[in-house]
Amino acid sequence: MPDISHVFGTDLVLQSNGGVSDLATVSSISQVAQRLYRRLLTNPGAYSYHPDYGGGLGTFVGSPVSAGQIQAVVLQQCRLESDVATDPAPSVAVTSNGVGMTVVMVEFTDATSGTPQTLQIPLN
């Protein structure tokens, strides 16, 4: 079943269908990527109805944090997302360009379709 399409940190998008505008929807592989992106960037406690939801990657910006700490948070959150396959296990790479930009690259497999996915999250 499709969800409303929403990339974390951006506005909702309208789509036109036969002259009628409605909210854009997303399904399948893009839906899983959007859910994981939202989970990783949402700060824990931000949702009053689900206080343990979220990895809070944005809180690491400007903080002395190791790549290992970021990897641990991402892998923990991947395990909590039911649409991310556990076999093969997700992999996480954290790189820095040396001028304050850190990029988190998450490679995972969609649990339903078995399709490999790559999610790139810039932290700056």
Side-chain angles (χ1 to χ4, degrees):
M1 182 165 145
D3 278 347
I4 292 173
S5 179
H6 181 243
V7 176
F8 188 89
T10 65
D11 291 333
L12 294 174
V13 177
L14 294 177
Q15 66 183 9
S16 181
N17 187 6
V20 177
S21 291
D22 200 355
L23 290 174
T25 59
V26 65
S27 59
S28 188
I29 297 166
S30 296
Q31 184 178 29
V32 177
Q34 284 187 10
R35 285 181 179 175
L36 184 57
Y37 193 78
R38 179 174 46 247
R39 175 181 286 280
L40 292 172
L41 291 174
T42 298
N43 292 331
Y47 296 151
S48 59
Y49 56 88
H50 199 337
D52 296 329
Y53 179 88
L57 288 185
T59 63
F60 294 150
V61 174
S63 300
V65 62
S66 71
Q69 290 171 300
I70 294 172
Q71 288 172 322
V73 167
V74 172
L75 289 172
Q76 178 215 18
Q77 293 299 313
C78 284
R79 285 190 289 276
L80 297 173
E81 191 61 50
S82 63
D83 290 326
V84 174
T86 56
D87 186 26
S91 67
V92 180
V94 180
T95 58
S96 177
N97 68 0
V99 292
M101 171 71 84
T102 299
V103 177
V104 179
M105 185 78 70
V106 185
E107 294 180 352
F108 66 95
T109 301
D110 180 309
T112 303
S113 70
T115 305
Q117 287 287 99
T118 300
L119 183 64
Q120 185 175 337
I121 305 170
L123 301 176
N124 59 341

